[in-house]
Amino acid sequence: MKQLTLIGFMGSGKSTTGQMLSKELGIPLLELDQMIEEETKMSIPDIFDLKGEAYFRELEHIVLIKSLNSRGVIATGGGILTNSKNVEQLKSTRNVIYLKGKDSTLIERIKNDSVNKRPLADTSTELEITKRLENRVNQYEEVADIIIEIENKSISEITLEIMNQLEEMKE
Ligand SMILES: Nc1ncnc2c1ncn2[C@@H]1O[C@H](COP(=O)(O)OP(=O)(O)OP(=O)(O)O)[C@@H](O)[C@H]1O
Ligand SMILES: O=C(O)C1=C[C@@H](O)[C@@H](O)[C@H](O)C1
Ligand SMILES: [Mg+2]
């Protein structure tokens, strides 16, 4: 296994599941939000505040392209498909995995996550977050090669399910 890409809404577990998958598969984790923070030496909320979302989306596109040319588990940010160039790119990429969850689960995780700050969710109402998810959900499904339901599953269970599905696809 050379490369796989995790997509899904904020809070679906792309970064945490990506970390476990990269260990299990013995390939690097390419965490796009983290790469952007390292390259700019700024936090994501600061980039949104000081430079704006459009600037963030440009950087996100650049790190995605760079990662797609590398070996590893790519943990995208939740808004990766807001850029149509990324949609096209990922449609022609193999092993794109959508972590699909219910809005109530995702909202609870986002609200309880004290580590990651999410400028497009932290100050939003539940209705606003649900609407953003509704606007994105078709695109996640359209781009994905594999859809994994995350409800009531631990990070290890999801990791195992992904590894099993990837094995099945090889057969
Ligand atoms: N399967 C799971 N069971 C319980 N908690 C989980 C699970 N997956 C992720 N979490 C928790 O949910 C929160 C969000 O996870 P994570 O940061 O991995 O989401 P993400 O998809 O990377 O979000 P973003 O798009 O904002 O980067 C974290 O606190 C994480 O520990
Ligand atoms: O869903 C989104 O638009 C985002 C998700 C996060 O991963 C970060 O990429 C950023 O907070 C924007
Ligand atoms: Mg993440």
Side-chain angles (χ1 to χ4, degrees), residues 8-17 31 33 76-78 109 113 116 118 150 153-155 158:
F9 198 67
M10 292 175 262
S12 58
K14 303 175 296 295
S15 302
T16 38
T17 311
E31 217 279 343
D33 285 335
T76 62
R109 292 219 191 128
D113 188 349
N116 295 297
R118 298 177 173 87
I150 60 161
K153 291 176 191 164
S154 67
I155 294 161
I158 296 167

Side-chain angles (χ1 to χ4, degrees), residues 5-146:
T5 304
L6 299 175
I7 62 169
F9 198 67
M10 292 175 262
S12 58
K14 303 175 296 295
S15 302
T16 38
T17 311
Q19 200 169 18
M20 184 173 277
L21 270 168
S22 86
K23 281 204 192 101
E24 292 294 326
L25 296 169
I27 54 177
L29 174 67
L30 306 165
E31 217 279 343
L32 302 191
D33 285 335
Q34 198 184 325
M35 287 165 75
I36 293 170
E37 291 190 322
E38 278 165 14
E39 288 196 15
T40 57
K41 300 192 174 54
M42 286 170 83
S43 69
I44 289 184
D46 279 353
I47 300 174
F48 272 76
D49 270 3
L50 302 171
K51 304 276 193 178
E53 181 175 351
Y55 178 81
F56 175 81
R57 297 296 175 203
E58 280 305 312
L59 296 178
E60 190 178 41
H61 177 66
I62 295 167
V63 292
L64 174 68
I65 300 300
K66 203 168 164 183
S67 302
L68 288 172
N69 287 317
S70 316
R71 186 168 158 267
V73 175
I74 304 176
T76 62
I80 195 77
L81 301 181
T82 58
N83 181 336
S84 59
K85 288 186 283 184
N86 297 342
V87 173
E88 289 318 306
Q89 196 69 48
L90 287 171
K91 273 187 186 165
S92 60
T93 299
R94 295 176 63 200
N95 302 333
V96 176
I97 297 160
Y98 169 32
L99 302 183
K100 181 176 182 177
K102 284 200 298 200
D103 44 5
S104 52
T105 306
L106 300 170
I107 290 168
E108 193 184 299
R109 292 219 191 128
I110 292 167
K111 296 293 178 194
N112 290 336
D113 188 349
S114 52
V115 181
N116 295 297
K117 298 283 163 263
R118 298 177 173 87
L120 296 183
D122 289 346
T123 58
S124 308
T125 63
E126 292 195 7
L127 185 62
E128 286 166 337
I129 299 176
T130 303
K131 284 208 170 126
R132 195 183 288 283
L133 173 61
E134 274 171 11
N135 288 336
R136 290 178 176 179
V137 88
N138 287 344
Q139 273 188 321
Y140 293 133
E141 300 207 351
E142 205 183 321
V143 165
D145 300 305
I146 299 175

